[in-house]
Amino acid sequence: MEKLWGGRFELPPHALMEELGASVAFDARLAPWDIRASIAHARMLGNCNIISGQDSKDIIAGLEKILLQVQEKEITWSSALEDVHGNIEAILTADIGEAGKKLHTARSRNDQIATDVRLWARDQTDAILSLLTRIQKSIVDFAETHIEVALPGYTHLQPAQPVLLAHHVLAYFEMFKRDRERFSELRKRINIMPLGSAALAGTPHPINREQVAQELGFDALSANSMDAVSDRDYLIEFCAACAMTMMHLSRWSEELILWNSPAFGFIEIGDAFTTGSSIMPQKKNPDAAELIRGKTSRVYADLAALLTLMKGIPLTYNRDLQEDKEVVFHASDTVQLSLAVFAEMLPTLRVNTPQMTHALTQGFMAATDLADYLTTRDIPFREAHHIVGEIVQYCIKKKTTLEALSLKTLQQLCPAIEESVFHALTIETLLARRNQPGSTAPERVKSALKTARKMVYTVREDT
Ligand code: ARG
């Protein structure tokens, strides 16, 4: 098959060279963006009289036809034609004849691929933004449904202090809010048009870059042709943002896996997102959460691969850059699937409120507040801390809980304690007293929830 660049060569490439160089098996998915960019380019070439109006029209009609064929999955891609660009140009020329050979005037595959990937990445960013909104909506709904439920909050995976379940899940709402900010921010740097940089130095043809940028919805033109054809910073940022979102999903997965284990018994994940065991009939395993946690590692690897790919690239385009595609495709696909799965899985969680309530009686969760109570009896905090430590040790020895101690016993351990201690140490009091902005008091959580609901139900999904 005729190469795009065959003229300079006497011999065809080695079969292994073809195998090494072919990218169409993975870059064919860029076809819709490649064709849209080519249509804009062909229109501009016609408008600027670089090619005739008739050729421009024929090319556009031919490309539109190919776009339909791509959508109908009617194209057989040929790896002998290397990449998506070579394939589309060959199909076009076979269909419309000589005019097809004029499409590549005033451009190179270097600015073409950079343009395609930016258009692709912009659409993926928008899709991820809308999935982040979707998961945030799931969180808000979940938090509202369980607004009365409290459970232990943990540090070091040791029971620490009581929190509302809604407060706990709203922590993830905040993480996804920051993820949204990151994707919105990097979208600005994606949406810059490299086309018109040609191979590296620009083109002598009297092109109109503004027209093409406008048709393709780019915010600005790249300012330096050499940077434009070899910059992949925006993909690194994109992968980093994907890695961060996966890290958030993975942390939450880890937690759901623990909570779903009979050892915790806090939740049961719905059947639709669990699987059974081929040998142990009783098993119901939290595979969705485990897979998301597992896939996170590979998205981290994508980021590491891109950073490493770029560190030795002299200006400008080098063929190494072809290796960026599978990496970003994987990161993007994985984060989108994982977000969608998580958003659907959340409403299937059955919360075991009695088990959470029971857990609140374990682990001396009122200890901090008992120390705080003693400070109101004029005992310095450091001393109060020590006294409560001794009371806890007493409970451990007697195999009992703080709440179960009688006033008499408490007073033997610390004479400053009075009847009022019992009110001070109820879960309701512990929660209600943490009433600073950002804390777990029901009043605060309800207002945080209101803010979250407003944010997520009024936001434009792609911003
Ligand atoms: N398939 C190539 C890539 O992904 C397209 C650009 C090829 N340019 C070249 N000069 N060989 O980077």
Side-chain angles (χ1 to χ4, degrees), residues 123-184:
D123 283 354
Q124 305 318 304
T125 301
D126 291 343
I128 292 169
L129 282 168
S130 108
L131 283 163
L132 284 165
T133 304
R134 201 164 127 201
I135 199 170
Q136 286 183 308
K137 284 179 177 167
S138 284
I139 294 173
V140 168
D141 293 342
F142 183 85
E144 274 175 2
T145 313
H146 302 287
I147 191 65
E148 303 297 335
V149 182
L151 79 164
Y154 294 82
T155 62
H156 313 269
L157 211 54
Q158 306 289 319
Q161 291 175 351
V163 290
L164 285 190
L165 178 57
H167 192 57
H168 189 116
V169 297
L170 282 175
Y172 289 99
F173 183 95
E174 292 300 314
M175 297 180 215
F176 296 126
K177 185 172 145 215
R178 292 194 294 275
D179 289 341
R180 288 185 53 81
E181 288 165 7
R182 254 182 292 277
F183 278 104
S184 299

Side-chain angles (χ1 to χ4, degrees), residues 23 27 83 85 109-110 113 232 317 319 321-322 325:
S23 60
D27 69 17
D83 52 23
H85 322 301
R109 279 188 295 166
N110 299 349
I113 188 65
R232 297 294 182 272
Y317 182 86
R319 191 64 182 276
L321 295 180
Q322 182 164 296
K325 313 285 176 308

Side-chain angles (χ1 to χ4, degrees), residues 19-20 26 47 64 70 95 107 130 151 154 234 253 294 303 308-309 311 319 339 344 364 404 424 427 429 461:
E19 191 181 335
L20 182 70
F26 50 86
N47 288 351
E64 279 166 353
V70 168
D95 189 30
R107 80 172 181 191
S130 108
L151 79 164
Y154 294 82
Y234 67 97
S253 294
L303 173 60
T308 314
L309 176 68
K311 74 182 268 293
R319 191 64 182 276
L339 281 168
E344 293 295 319
F364 308 101
I427 296 297
T429 312
E461 294 212 343

